[in-house]
Amino acid sequence: MACPSSSEPHRREQPLLSRIATEGNHGENSLYFDGWKAYESDPYHPTRNPRGVIQMGLAENQAVCKTSLLFIAQKSSSFYTFLPNIGHVIDIRLRSPLQLCFDMMEEWIKKHPEASICTAQGVSEFRETAIFQDYHGLPAFRNAVARFMEKARGGRVSFDPDRIVMGGGATGANELVIFCLADPGDAFLVPTPYYPGFDRDLRWRTGIQLLPVHCSSSNHFKLTREALEAAYGEALLAGVRVKGLILANPSNPLGTVLDSDTLASILRFADEHRIHLVCDEIYSATVSGRPAFVSIAEVLEEHPGICDRDLVHIVYSLSKDLGLPGFRVGVVYSYNDEVVLCGRRMSSFGLVSSQTQRLLASMLSDEEFMGAFMKESTRRLGERRAAFTAGLAEVGIGCLEGANAGLFLWMNLRPMLKEGTVEEETKLWRAIVEEVKLNVSPGSSFHCVEPGWFRVCIANMDEATVGVALQRMRRFVGRSAETGLPVRRRGSRAAASGGLRLSLSSLMAEDVCMSTMSPRLLSPHSPLVRATS
């Protein structure tokens, strides 16, 4: 009988997986991701599961299917019959989609089959496209992306295609730039509230820290120089090396934009402290009305010498402005030559496929089409934002004032809290997810220090689903009033409406009635991937 090796006990004690796989620093232990899981386990569908969870926690723009609206029109001459008390707020009779213009994209593709290597007209380019592996990307693609970035900023600034570094979506681009700028243990300041995915995208594999710069609703969560200096000073006292500031403009989750003066102040702050400024501008073309979006690139051009350009970097993608998250197109635009060089070396871990580059280079280069597309996209998003805000106001729910960007609203449910605590916010969130069956995201998951704010995504569903969601919220406000929760209604019509006191069962029946009219649902499934054995 063979004797066991002396090293056998040592082998048993060794962990099978790495620390990065087992320490739980992935950032997904959050109510933000728990809401996705709730949706994933019980996804709403208008016919197959009309009482399921409606996904309002994912900031994406999906296409409205015209055939779906046609089906509705054939079933009823007016939708108002099925939307008691809010028909005067949202007109969802047959008309053009209110989401990003996938109908326009589809028409463009039909007219330009040569843009794809998977058609008879484009197959002659298959071989060259399939073997292309240049880390810099197709020149035509980088040129087209640079021109689109200029167009999204109103043509007020220019971008050099040779400074574009590709990444696997904004997630990959954000991580790539952090790898270039910082070492494990270094820190970046981030104004709150901020996107929960930053805790995963920026920290998990890089090992850096995120230090919150707390902002308040007293000034509409505006970032101030005083708040930046306070957070920076606290980090220094704690012995933490601050390497930079992460700035999302437009803001996720606030849906607000930063003005030129604030951006100039931030640039001076970065320059004086010799720290990097990483500007996430992935929602730059979702702005409707005033104030207009101002890019950090514009302020650099308007104020020469305001900041060492080597410290400034922009993250961009086509996931939000064009609604193409599945294409995984992310961009780092850096004014620092060394970052561009290092980023390109790292980009081999997250390249954009050559086929995707070729198709998008052709589409983005069509100036006439892109101009019409962006104009129509902005109009539709503005209409959806206004309609949803009005629908919430009818039941006494307010949203952050001045927000005109992004694919979401920052919803104020503080009047519904018994106490202003995170625990009460969590209870309210669970009630909305588990009883009302709406996946909205609580402010605490965005590191907001004021309990009671929630992000609600408004552009990832068709209009019929919007109606169902608002009906459910109306029901919830009515039930809360009946059970004594401190709800303050703002709209006189909402306060006087008997619809606020409909029972849970009767309103769920209305959900079913409405839902049977739409043959498909366009709310996306959660991107979370289940582990398989």
Side-chain angles (χ1 to χ4, degrees):
M1 182 175 179
C3 294
S5 169
S6 61
S7 63
E8 189 71 26
H10 177 66
R11 280 205 302 270
R12 289 198 198 101
E13 293 173 3
Q14 287 183 341
L16 293 177
L17 301 179
S18 68
R19 286 195 300 271
I20 197 171
T22 58
E23 285 185 345
N25 293 325
H26 46 70
E28 292 190 0
N29 295 327
S30 162
L31 296 183
Y32 175 76
F33 292 103
D34 285 350
W36 285 8
K37 295 169 187 174
Y39 166 76
E40 188 179 50
S41 65
D42 185 25
Y44 170 84
H45 188 279
T47 55
R48 293 194 294 269
N49 190 22
R51 299 188 183 190
V53 177
I54 294 177
Q55 174 64 294
M56 306 183 80
L58 191 60
E60 288 187 358
N61 234 296
Q62 301 293 318
V64 171
C65 179
K66 286 186 176 180
T67 57
S68 176
L69 292 176
L70 182 59
F71 179 89
I72 293 169
Q74 292 169 345
K75 290 291 183 181
S76 173
S77 59
S78 174
F79 242 89
Y80 296 131
T81 305
F82 299 92
L83 287 177
N85 304 313
I86 61 172
H88 59 284
V89 177
I90 299 179
D91 176 3
I92 57 175
R93 292 171 293 182
L94 180 63
R95 56 193 174 102
S96 62
L98 279 183
Q99 296 170 293
L100 276 187
C101 311
F102 277 86
D103 54 322
M104 296 177 70
M105 281 191 179
E106 289 165 358
E107 286 301 314
W108 186 91
I109 291 171
K110 290 176 183 177
K111 294 177 180 178
H112 299 84
E114 73 284 352
S116 170
I117 60 174
C118 299
T119 63
Q121 294 85 347
V123 72
S124 61
E125 299 295 323
F126 176 85
R127 179 177 301 180
E128 290 301 314
T129 303
I131 64 175
F132 184 83
Q133 298 182 55
D134 189 340
Y135 296 159
H136 293 198
L138 289 168
F141 175 70
R142 288 187 288 111
N143 285 329
V145 169
R147 301 293 83 79
F148 179 73
M149 290 175 66
E150 294 168 1
K151 186 179 291 290
R153 290 149 183 81
R156 297 181 297 273
V157 66
S158 60
F159 291 99
D160 180 356
D162 290 333
R163 292 197 170 278
I164 287 179
V165 179
M166 294 185 301
T171 296
N174 270 311
E175 187 186 56
L176 184 150
V177 75
I178 296 299
F179 268 126
C180 290
L181 302 181
D183 295 315
D186 289 344
F188 281 77
L189 304 176
V190 191
T192 66
Y194 67 80
Y195 168 53
F198 278 169
D199 292 321
R200 174 198 60 200
D201 302 349
L202 303 180
R203 292 193 309 114
W204 186 22
R205 300 198 299 183
T206 64
I208 61 108
Q209 305 177 60
L210 295 182
L211 305 180
V213 181
H214 293 300
C215 301
S216 161
S217 64
S218 61
N219 67 344
H220 303 290
F221 296 99
K222 184 176 180 179
L223 178 63
T224 65
R225 178 68 181 263
E226 292 74 20
L228 285 171
E229 293 289 0
Y232 184 80
E234 289 175 9
L236 292 184
L237 288 175
V240 177
R241 184 169 71 162
V242 177
K243 289 300 295 288
L245 166 65
I246 306 292
L247 191 67
N249 180 38
S251 167
N252 175 10
L254 300 178
T256 54
V257 296
L258 295 174
D259 58 68
S260 296
D261 290 342
T262 300
L263 290 170
S265 175
I266 291 168
L267 282 169
R268 293 188 186 98
F269 170 80
D271 192 63
E272 290 172 16
H273 293 291
R274 297 298 297 166
I275 63 174
H276 293 279
L277 175 60
V278 179
C279 293
D280 184 325
E281 298 186 348
I282 65 174
Y283 290 99
S284 56
T286 66
V287 180
S288 56
R290 296 288 176 180
F293 169 70
V294 179
S295 171
I296 199 70
E298 296 177 52
V299 183
L300 279 176
E301 299 243 346
E302 292 171 2
H303 302 277
I306 191 173
C307 179
D308 181 353
R309 291 192 173 209
D310 280 350
L311 299 173
V312 182
H313 323 275
I314 297 172
V315 171
Y316 189 60
S317 83
L318 302 184
S319 297
K320 310 302 182 181
D321 287 351
L322 291 184
L324 300 174
F327 280 18
R328 309 310 301 150
V329 177
V331 166
V332 173
Y333 186 91
S334 179
Y335 292 91
N336 187 311
D337 293 341
E338 292 299 317
V339 171
V340 172
L341 179 61
C342 179
R344 283 190 173 152
R345 289 168 177 161
M346 286 189 174
S347 68
S348 60
F349 296 104
L351 291 175
V352 180
S353 77
S354 299
Q355 179 178 217
T356 298
Q357 292 185 54
R358 187 178 184 278
L359 172 65
L360 291 179
S362 182
M363 180 183 292
L364 294 175
S365 298
D366 189 332
E367 294 287 336
E368 182 178 357
F369 168 75
M370 290 310 303
F373 176 92
M374 295 179 69
K375 181 178 180 180
E376 183 65 8
S377 171
T378 300
R379 183 188 70 80
R380 295 180 185 183
L381 279 172
E383 286 187 2
R384 171 62 65 87
R385 191 178 293 116
F388 209 100
T389 301
L392 291 174
E394 285 293 309
V395 294
I397 297 174
C399 297
L400 182 66
E401 295 180 3
N404 65 334
L407 309 176
F408 32 74
L409 298 171
W410 191 233
M411 184 170 61
N412 183 8
L413 298 185
R414 289 182 297 173
M416 299 186 71
L417 299 183
K418 292 181 179 179
E419 297 177 356
T421 64
V422 173
E423 290 74 20
E424 285 299 314
E425 178 187 89
T426 301
K427 289 180 183 178
L428 179 59
W429 173 79
R430 292 196 185 282
I432 295 174
V433 172
E434 296 172 6
E435 298 176 29
V436 189
K437 298 298 185 78
L438 299 177
N439 175 30
V440 299
S441 304
S444 58
S445 65
F446 294 83
H447 302 272
C448 182
V449 295
E450 299 180 17
W453 293 91
F454 290 76
R455 192 191 73 169
V456 53
C457 297
I458 60 173
N460 63 334
M461 66 195 80
D462 60 22
E463 294 187 62
T465 309
V466 169
V468 175
L470 284 173
Q471 273 292 73
R472 291 183 181 184
M473 188 58 74
R474 173 178 290 276
R475 172 188 67 237
F476 183 63
V477 172
R479 290 181 62 232
S480 298
E482 289 176 351
T483 55
L485 282 178
V487 180
R488 296 194 292 268
R489 301 189 189 93
R490 299 177 183 178
S492 58
R493 283 181 293 183
S497 172
L500 287 172
R501 298 193 176 272
L502 291 173
S503 68
L504 176 64
S505 58
S506 66
L507 279 162
M508 289 302 277
E510 286 182 17
D511 285 357
V512 174
C513 181
M514 283 187 59
S515 300
T516 55
M517 300 196 309
S518 181
R520 59 183 290 207
L521 174 73
L522 294 166
S523 297
H525 288 277
S526 165
L528 294 178
V529 179
R530 289 193 181 95
T532 57
S533 56

